[in-house]
Amino acid sequence: MRRFSAVVLLAATLGALPVLTAVPARAAHAHCTATACHFDVPPGTYDVKVLLGGETASSTSVTAETRRTLLPETAVEAGERVARSFTVNVRTPEGEPTGADGTPGLDLHLGGSAPALADIVVTPARHARQILLVGDSTVCDQPGDPYSGWGQQLPQYLRKGLSVANYADAGESTVSYLADSRLWATVQPQIRRGDLVLIQLAHNDKTTDGATYRANLETLVAGVRAKGGKPVLVTPIVRRWFNADGTLNNDTALLVNGLGVDHPAVIRSVAAAHDVPLIDLTARTKALVESLGVEASKALYLYNEKRDNTHTSVPGATTYASLVRDELVARHLVPERLLRVG
């Protein structure tokens, strides 16, 4: 492992190119191998600029921390160089709020069919906007394959100047999210004026009555607004549970709990009553899963690997993250210049 000194400007150069030099300031270090870079930086938000490409044709993706996809696979022709930039949130714990702390600093990993990184620069982000995520296991930064939450894949659709701070946590309901000091009590102080806070909690509210569920959503909305943030309510992704006629029109698929509480309907009602932007991910994912049908839709979930019709695969989470990106554009919640569209 090679060691590079770095400061305010943190940089490392791989391959045959010369090491990028920077004027030293406070002590900090970058450590790089052919497939990963580690930067000794404190929690915060950082801009990353990568220069992709090599002597032969390459195809490179970049993930960070707990398997967050920051840059989708990007092809570069032989001898060419392509620059890409993005903004990343560094925190402890680095994944789920109730999970392991992970490693200090920022870890970036190179993937793709033929990865090639010519240069990388990491600098503290100035005035970056952030999207905070409040959710469950279908949203969170899942620690291991083959699982992935859509929040884990959302960063690849964002450009420099906008980061995702994913505070979704597996197994959480509206009740437990508000009660656990590692969750809402930790998230709310992180909200800055103008930040978007996307809230998707429903899958684990299996025994929550309707009045409590509604009140909990209202508490979250009010808490975001109290910090100057902008709440966005998100209805839950569907469960892949087909009727005999190929539709998902049943309580299991559409998140109606054992007490008869129709979670998406309550979310829609709260959004309308409190003038909160709504991303109807239930409707969007229902339409997509039904259009794919019983067999093709298996790839979106972990049916083949785990017989799991609730949690998504990396391709499924990536597809669902793209639906969220589309809604952010359509509802003018984020300037289009900060999103990768198409």
Side-chain angles (χ1 to χ4, degrees):
M1 177 173 285
R2 291 179 289 169
R3 187 180 185 92
F4 301 93
S5 63
V7 245
V8 181
L9 173 67
L10 296 167
T13 303
L14 289 80
L17 296 179
V19 173
L20 180 68
T21 59
V23 178
R26 296 181 300 274
H29 294 93
H31 313 264
C32 284
T33 67
T35 57
C37 281
H38 172 81
F39 294 90
D40 294 336
V41 296
T45 306
Y46 296 88
D47 291 329
V48 180
K49 181 178 181 179
V50 294
L51 189 65
L52 306 177
E55 296 308 309
T56 60
S58 63
S59 187
T60 310
S61 62
V62 180
T63 59
E65 303 291 83
T66 305
R67 302 175 60 240
R68 292 181 238 155
T69 303
L70 298 177
L71 187 70
E73 192 158 352
T74 302
V76 182
E77 294 187 6
E80 300 293 325
R81 298 289 187 271
V82 171
R84 292 288 186 269
S85 296
F86 45 82
T87 301
V88 60
N89 170 258
V90 177
R91 62 183 182 274
T92 303
E94 66 180 24
E96 294 177 90
T98 65
D101 283 354
T103 56
L106 170 61
D107 290 290
L108 298 170
H109 306 277
L110 306 180
S113 58
L117 178 65
D119 188 56
I120 182 169
V121 178
V122 174
T123 55
R126 304 298 182 192
H127 311 298
R129 300 179 60 175
Q130 64 179 349
I131 299 174
L132 295 98
L133 303 181
V134 169
D136 52 35
S137 58
T138 65
V139 184
C140 76
D141 289 348
Q142 290 280 359
D145 283 326
Y147 294 87
S148 183
W150 62 255
Q152 199 164 20
Q153 301 301 327
L154 185 60
Q156 67 187 288
Y157 295 113
L158 310 184
R159 297 184 185 275
K160 176 184 174 183
L162 180 62
S163 69
V164 172
N166 191 351
Y167 286 93
D169 196 72
E172 306 301 341
S173 66
T174 58
V175 176
S176 63
Y177 203 94
L178 286 167
D180 193 325
S181 62
R182 296 168 295 178
L183 298 171
W184 183 238
T186 297
V187 175
Q188 192 186 22
Q190 308 301 318
I191 302 170
R192 303 183 305 236
R193 183 165 298 279
D195 285 343
L196 287 184
V197 183
L198 274 56
I199 301 166
Q200 186 216 279
L201 287 166
H203 280 274
N204 300 301
D205 279 280
K206 298 172 183 176
T207 60
T208 309
D209 64 81
T212 300
Y213 185 65
R214 184 183 186 92
N216 289 344
L217 292 175
E218 291 173 335
T219 296
L220 290 166
V221 166
V224 173
R225 286 176 167 165
K227 299 293 290 185
K230 298 180 180 179
V232 179
L233 289 173
V234 183
T235 60
I237 66 170
V238 293
R239 296 190 179 107
R240 185 189 159 278
W241 199 269
F242 282 94
N243 298 325
D245 63 0
T247 67
L248 299 178
N249 296 317
N250 59 76
D251 289 355
T252 300
L254 299 183
L255 282 294
V256 179
N257 75 10
L259 300 178
V261 179
D262 185 331
H263 294 106
V266 175
I267 295 169
R268 295 176 189 123
S269 174
V270 171
H274 296 277
D275 194 26
V276 179
L278 175 74
I279 293 178
D280 199 339
L281 205 52
T282 305
R284 293 293 303 268
T285 56
K286 177 179 183 292
L288 176 59
V289 171
E290 288 181 341
S291 70
L292 290 172
V294 173
E295 290 303 316
S297 63
K298 289 178 179 177
L300 296 176
Y301 292 82
L302 295 175
Y303 179 84
N304 294 323
E305 299 86 350
K306 303 286 185 179
R307 294 297 187 267
D308 186 334
N309 291 307
T310 297
H311 297 98
T312 47
S313 61
V314 171
T318 302
T319 298
Y320 287 176
S322 74
L323 298 180
V324 174
R325 182 273 317 273
D326 292 347
E327 289 292 306
L328 293 174
V329 173
R331 300 184 182 286
H332 306 290
L333 294 170
V334 173
E336 195 165 327
R337 62 181 173 78
L338 295 177
L339 297 171
R340 301 184 193 278
V341 180

